[in-house]
Amino acid sequence: MAIESEILVVGGGLAGLSSALAAARDGADVRLVSYKQSTLRQASGLVDLLGYTPDGEGPLTDPYAAMADLPASHPYQTVGVETVREAMAMFDEVSDYEGGHTDTNALLPTHGGSIKPTARYPRGAAAGLASDDRDTLLVGIEAMTDFDAPHVADHLDAVGVPFGVRGETIRFPGDLRADAKVTRYAKLLDTNGEVAVRGRNVPAREALAQRVNPLVEDAERVGFPAILGDDNPGAIRDALGDQMGVDVFEVPMGPPSLPGLRLEDRLFEALDESGASFETGNPIVDFDGDGHVERVFMEKNGARIPLSADQYVLATGGLVGKGVESDREGVSEPVFDCHVPHSDDRYDWFDTAVFGDHPFAGFGVETDDDLRPLSADGDVEFDNLRAAGSVLGGYDFAAEKSGSGVSIATGYAAGASAAAEVR
Amino acid sequence: MSDAQPTDFDPVEPNTGEDFEPVEVFPDSDDFDLRPGADSCYKCSVCDTNCPVAEVDDDFPGPKFQGPEQWRLKQTDDGYEIDDSVMSCSNCMRCDSACPSGVPLSQMHNTARGEYVEEQMDKLSVEYVRNRILSNYRLSASIASKVPRLANFAMNFGPARWAMEKTMGVTSERDFPEFAQQTFRQWWAARGGADASRENAIESRERRGEPAEADKKVAYFHGCYSNYNTPEVGKAMVHVFEYFGYEVVAPEQKCSGTPMFANGMLDDARRHAEVNVSSMSDLVDEGYDAIASCTSCSMALRQEYPELFDIDGIEDVASNTYEAIEYLRIHEDVKGEIESAEVSGELAEEFAYHAPCHARNQGLERQAVELFRDLDGVGVEDVGDSCSGISGTYGWKEEKYEKSMEIGDEMFEHMEHAEGETGMTECPTCAMQMEHGTGYEIRHPLELVEAAVVE
């Protein structure tokens, strides 16, 4: 016997979650399995559709309009613009993100001081839009070296943002250790726990507002690195904003990322509400079947747990997520051993310029119109396996700023198609 | 890199000479090789975001430091001593399932903690003696269970508890768990042991239309708590497995070692592990699978044993060990039977379910919620992904009690908000914490399976 479901999704990132959500909302019995926690924790929490063309033109104003000109091998061309729209509508329904009111990209300041085009952003980032002309104060925390507020402000100024911007660095109130985790700040603010300020215990939100208040001057909005709570970010922003008389926003940060973590929580909650089953912690390592996946095996410390389904979705990620692996001999997809096109000569895998046009960035499986991976001969590898997200080849998400959008769109398409097969 | 010594090394044209072998910069060691794990860490800090202790304790530097970073410090500095903060790690093992790069964090923590206790901790200190007693719960329990009524009174007798806190650092805030009047093993023996189980299994197989000689047999690792404190869990396990046609044996066993790992008492843990592996591996050879009802016990047999000890047969035992309900989900249509069942009577309740950290690490955090989703007469609500905070012996230590409750706060709050006023979890110490924080009675999912399909 085996643990059974109608559809089994392998991978718990944006692509896997979108896939499982789409299928479960269509009434299918879905199970999602993920080796480790979602890599959303390492992502900024912004949801990009398409920020630049493959040739580097941009920032693009209307990502949907630009999709028609993408190469035929691009995943957006595989699923079609209409499916991308449907997928984003599903995302808007299950998340509490902003930006869905328009087709055009929003521009957001990053923690490096650049401006990034993105399609959806968390509510916490909304007051920070670069198209907003209100004067801005950025507040850095002394111990958090990856957000140097004065430096970020200078950068934003240099790229010509339409508002005045200053950066100030403070010590976080209370005597936290120098390398306190982002979750430590978040927990303190979530619970509004007391911190010691000049020998007196003060609730953390109040203490933080008091410390920043004298620095506000004429600024109409104040941006913090994204540490403002895990469970109650809205309430924390409101409390700080009320006490300082400004709008408060968060600047998305690098890993580990609270906005990414909040999005992960929200999507898993939506998956639970949809009636799907899921588990994390152990990898799928092997499968039975020839041309048709019969069942897969999950490895738990040497034990092999069989799982079987009618339809499977491969959403294991790309080179970073380990859905695509490489060594000196070649590039492979480790679960089903699907074909990953690449040159035999590994010196052709990269460009010599650091920010050059690297072929490895586009490594991944090729599929037919229904997202089913193709062998080297161009045949469908398994009739009941679809691929979604970064395991797909044919696009460079880092250069295009299309990672989240491709994951959501192809995940949605694979899930809906799998659900149609079992109905 | 700023604090590194300047060198003349030229990476483009290596000039280190023939003698330099880059893969052998660290000395050889007879222990488990932790280097590949340390090298796999790319410092994303996702482990730190999962650490329930770092979230509330400003003195705790987090799993990334305790694991790969401390290991590296130890290799490069002969005089380096393990940082005493390793004793504040509660061994919840959440960092393991967080790491996207497969770094064996808990193995590194357990190893470092063992070394700290062995080499740096004063063996005459109150802390050492207290930790040793706490981690050898099986010993105390086996004595107490001989006189359960007296023990139940004495262990919660106010003045005695005051004295224990003052002299030993065992918090007086908690009630000691009650000892059962009859242990699971006494019940098992009185019932006829393995022979009786075999008869029951054959009877079930006939009723189920399966061959009487079907090869369905499991070895039950009940652990200390089901034996001494909650034999009803052990009995439920036996009844459920027999119902599905399995013969059960209850082999000789000691403590799984879970509290010993958490306290760095690796010699004690090894001694117990040797007994457990020896009796389990014989049975595995005969075709039995090892089943545990406590998720920390199954965690120990599956992961900690092969990570920490080199005992004959240990890999076989690990790869044939399962959590009880997980095993049924793989081999039987337990979901189907539960969907068509109905529960009435004592367990027809709304439950506030907490997934123990060690269940989470085995991928079982959703098992109970999903299994009982369509069971008539019962509701099971997940109270969220926070840690209960007790982490076995951790929350029993006087100096850790406040932290333990601070970690548990989120779970208590969610339990209060949940519809039910009965708790549910697989882990005996999580159950203690749930009861301590809310006053709810706590049940094990196996008891509910029993109520649904057996009765």
Side-chain angles (χ1 to χ4, degrees):
Chain A
M1 293 251 328
I3 295 174
E4 291 170 355
S5 57
E6 288 179 331
I7 297 174
L8 183 75
V9 178
V10 184
L14 260 184
L17 281 161
S18 302
S19 213
L21 272 166
R25 285 157 63 101
D26 281 352
D29 165 30
V30 182
R31 180 165 196 84
L32 176 146
V33 292
S34 176
Y35 177 19
K36 295 291 184 176
Q37 284 176 351
S38 169
T39 42
L40 279 170
R41 285 168 189 252
Q42 302 190 48
S44 65
L46 300 180
V47 172
D48 308 331
L49 265 177
L50 189 65
Y52 296 84
T53 68
D55 299 329
E57 281 167 44
L60 297 168
T61 307
D62 183 344
Y64 294 102
M67 282 175 199
D69 299 326
L70 291 170
S73 61
H74 198 288
Y76 281 144
Q77 295 284 26
T78 310
V79 300
V81 176
E82 269 323 295
T83 304
V84 181
R85 285 185 187 278
E86 286 170 26
M88 292 310 289
M90 180 184 78
F91 176 82
D92 289 338
E93 226 179 283
V94 298
S95 74
D96 58 351
Y97 268 41
E98 304 273 344
H101 61 289
T102 171
D103 275 1
T104 53
N105 273 326
L107 297 172
L108 273 112
T110 70
H111 69 122
S114 59
I115 295 293
K116 183 182 172 178
T118 193
R120 300 288 188 278
Y121 44 92
R123 281 190 187 158
L129 289 184
S131 49
D132 184 336
D133 60 7
R134 288 179 296 168
D135 283 351
T136 303
L137 169 69
L138 295 175
V139 177
I141 309 292
E142 205 175 78
M144 296 187 71
T145 48
D146 43 356
F147 184 71
D148 181 340
H151 177 83
V152 174
D154 285 350
H155 256 270
L156 290 174
D157 203 38
V159 299
V161 292
F163 50 85
V165 52
R166 281 181 298 121
E168 299 277 4
T169 302
I170 61 160
R171 289 195 74 157
F172 195 85
D175 195 17
L176 303 194
R177 60 181 299 118
D179 64 343
K181 315 305 167 204
V182 289
T183 46
R184 175 69 187 130
Y185 296 107
K187 178 96 180 179
L188 252 182
L189 291 165
D190 265 338
T191 56
N192 206 14
E194 294 196 330
V195 291
V197 182
R198 285 189 296 275
R200 204 162 59 87
N201 281 345
V202 186
R205 297 176 192 177
E206 197 183 321
L208 181 58
Q210 282 170 359
R211 188 150 294 185
V212 177
N213 230 345
L215 307 171
V216 173
E217 298 173 15
D218 295 335
E220 292 166 272
R221 50 181 178 163
V222 174
F224 291 89
I227 55 162
L228 304 183
D230 183 4
D231 299 329
N232 308 308
I236 295 167
R237 288 194 309 277
D238 289 349
L240 294 174
D242 284 350
Q243 291 177 54
M244 298 189 292
V246 293
D247 269 354
V248 167
F249 65 94
E250 288 183 312
V251 179
M253 302 287 292
S257 152
L258 277 168
L261 218 148
R262 294 175 200 138
L263 179 59
E264 176 188 347
D265 284 349
R266 178 63 207 117
L267 294 177
F268 273 102
E269 207 177 296
L271 192 59
D272 182 32
E273 287 159 11
S274 77
S277 302
F278 52 88
E279 71 174 269
T280 61
N282 297 285
I284 299 296
V285 293
D286 202 1
F287 71 98
D288 270 349
D290 183 14
H292 181 87
V293 182
E294 302 290 346
R295 56 184 186 161
V296 297
F297 296 94
M298 176 185 283
E299 220 249 17
K300 289 191 188 181
N301 296 96
R304 280 157 64 98
I305 315 287
L307 298 112
S308 74
D310 300 330
Q311 301 289 323
Y312 297 80
V313 176
L314 176 69
T316 42
L319 285 161
V320 176
K322 299 190 170 69
V324 176
E325 285 187 347
S326 69
D327 58 23
R328 291 178 169 222
E329 308 305 319
V331 185
S332 59
E333 181 280 300
V335 179
F336 297 100
D337 201 21
C338 292
H339 172 63
V340 180
H342 63 282
S343 166
D344 286 339
D345 182 354
R346 66 188 161 94
Y347 286 89
D348 292 340
W349 296 354
F350 57 89
D351 190 283
T352 45
V354 174
F355 294 108
D357 196 4
H358 295 290
F360 72 76
F363 283 173
V365 301
E366 266 179 340
T367 69
D368 69 355
D369 287 348
D370 195 17
L371 292 170
R372 291 179 299 181
L374 299 175
S375 69
D377 303 331
D379 300 326
V380 167
E381 299 236 32
F382 303 95
D383 65 1
N384 59 342
L385 174 71
R386 290 170 184 77
S390 321
V391 74
L392 296 170
Y395 72 117
D396 178 350
F397 68 83
E400 295 169 9
K401 310 284 175 235
S402 64
S404 306
V406 168
S407 287
I408 292 170
T410 56
Y412 173 85
S417 184
E421 296 277 347
V422 299
R423 280 286 156 255
Chain B
M1 298 302 281
S2 57
D3 51 357
Q5 295 295 319
T7 71
D8 299 328
F9 178 67
D10 179 354
V12 178
E13 290 187 39
N15 54 357
T16 50
E18 298 281 306
D19 298 338
F20 180 73
E21 180 46 69
V23 297
E24 286 174 6
V25 289
F26 296 129
D28 280 344
S29 151
D30 296 333
D31 290 339
F32 287 89
D33 186 7
L34 297 174
R35 165 138 198 216
D39 285 357
S40 295
C41 172
Y42 51 70
K43 310 293 174 204
C44 70
S45 303
V46 165
C47 54
D48 287 342
T49 64
N50 275 266
C51 177
V53 179
E55 199 172 73
V56 298
D57 184 351
D58 287 323
D59 296 325
F60 189 66
K64 179 160 63 76
F65 168 78
Q66 298 295 357
E69 290 173 1
Q70 176 144 263
W71 182 85
R72 204 169 286 278
L73 287 169
K74 221 172 63 185
Q75 309 310 308
T76 48
D77 175 1
D78 286 341
Y80 182 80
E81 294 206 322
I82 303 289
D83 195 73
D84 60 8
S85 63
V86 77
M87 297 308 285
S88 290
C89 160
S90 70
N91 203 35
C92 72
M93 303 168 88
R94 277 180 180 240
C95 41
D96 276 354
S97 63
C99 178
S101 197
V103 178
L105 287 140
S106 68
Q107 184 186 16
M108 295 177 141
H109 298 165
N110 274 323
T111 309
R113 187 164 36 231
E115 188 178 323
Y116 174 81
V117 170
E118 179 68 28
E119 288 170 21
Q120 290 164 237
M121 206 172 186
D122 177 3
K123 304 293 176 299
L124 298 174
S125 68
V126 170
E127 188 187 1
Y128 178 84
V129 174
R130 188 263 325 258
N131 289 359
R132 189 112 198 248
I133 292 174
L134 282 176
S135 62
N136 281 279
Y137 175 73
R138 185 179 184 277
L139 182 65
S140 326
S142 68
I143 297 167
S145 70
K146 302 220 168 23
V147 281
R149 285 196 186 84
L150 175 64
N152 289 338
F153 169 75
M155 294 298 265
N156 286 310
F157 178 58
R161 293 302 303 277
W162 178 84
M164 275 173 82
E165 176 165 311
K166 293 300 163 210
T167 59
M168 303 245 316
V170 174
T171 180
S172 60
E173 300 283 344
R174 292 183 188 277
D175 291 334
F176 269 108
E178 239 178 75
F179 293 101
Q181 305 301 325
Q182 182 191 38
T183 66
F184 169 75
R185 292 194 78 91
Q186 286 165 349
W187 171 82
W188 174 253
R191 180 178 187 262
D195 291 341
S197 184
R198 187 174 153 75
E199 277 169 33
N200 294 341
I202 291 172
E203 208 174 288
S204 287
R205 289 174 199 156
E206 277 165 7
R207 174 178 44 78
R208 300 170 65 81
E210 294 170 8
E213 290 308 306
D215 188 25
K216 295 170 85 169
K217 43 193 189 181
V218 296
Y220 180 31
F221 192 90
H222 47 69
C224 307
Y225 208 78
S226 294
N227 188 37
Y228 298 115
N229 302 90
T230 54
E232 61 274 16
V233 172
K235 292 177 197 170
M237 185 279 171
V238 171
H239 291 146
V240 167
F241 272 72
E242 287 177 353
Y243 168 84
F244 282 105
Y246 289 85
E247 306 166 33
V248 180
V249 294
E252 184 199 354
Q253 54 192 276
K254 297 234 168 191
C255 168
S256 71
T258 301
M260 298 158 184
F261 303 134
N263 285 287
M265 307 285 172
L266 293 189
D267 288 344
D268 287 348
R270 174 190 290 276
R271 233 179 13 257
H272 288 247
E274 278 166 357
V275 175
N276 296 333
V277 171
S278 155
S279 65
M280 284 294 173
S281 71
D282 289 348
L283 287 163
V284 166
D285 282 348
E286 292 169 34
Y288 286 82
D289 286 313
I291 304 298
S293 50
C294 160
T295 43
S296 291
C297 292
S298 54
M299 190 76 218
L301 267 61
R302 284 179 139 169
Q303 182 176 328
E304 282 154 320
Y305 281 13
E307 277 186 358
L308 297 172
F309 306 128
D310 191 8
I311 302 173
D312 213 24
I314 207 161
E315 303 281 350
D316 272 349
V317 171
S319 60
N320 287 286
T321 298
Y322 300 84
E323 190 273 337
I325 294 176
E326 172 190 39
Y327 189 80
L328 293 175
R329 281 168 57 229
I330 299 168
H331 296 283
E332 306 294 332
D333 184 21
V334 59
K335 189 164 174 62
E337 295 221 15
I338 282 178
E339 274 168 14
S340 56
E342 189 184 342
V343 171
S344 55
E346 195 209 352
L347 286 178
E349 282 278 356
E350 295 293 322
F351 292 93
Y353 172 77
H354 163 76
C357 297
H358 290 175
R360 203 166 281 284
N361 281 13
Q362 295 169 74
L364 303 174
E365 74 274 26
R366 300 262 308 163
Q367 179 172 271
V369 173
E370 289 170 1
L371 186 63
F372 300 125
R373 196 143 53 183
D374 299 314
L375 175 57
D376 283 342
V378 168
V380 178
E381 189 177 336
D382 191 347
V383 295
D385 62 1
S386 57
C387 170
S388 79
I390 190 169
S391 290
T393 59
Y394 188 85
W396 281 94
K397 299 172 183 172
E398 188 251 332
E399 77 280 9
K400 301 282 195 306
Y401 176 76
E402 294 290 332
K403 292 273 177 280
S404 157
M405 293 303 280
E406 203 177 335
I407 296 170
D409 256 347
E410 197 174 324
M411 179 188 75
F412 302 144
E413 201 179 302
H414 290 172
M415 284 179 74
E416 307 274 349
H417 284 161
E419 202 175 315
E421 295 198 350
T422 307
M424 174 174 282
T425 193
E426 287 90 349
C427 169
T429 60
C430 289
M432 279 181 212
Q433 177 86 331
M434 293 164 81
E435 188 185 354
H436 181 60
T438 61
Y440 292 1
E441 187 188 355
I442 316 297
R443 310 300 290 254
H444 190 287
L446 272 172
E447 295 180 78
L448 191 52
V449 177
E450 181 188 30
V453 303
V454 182
E455 286 161 7

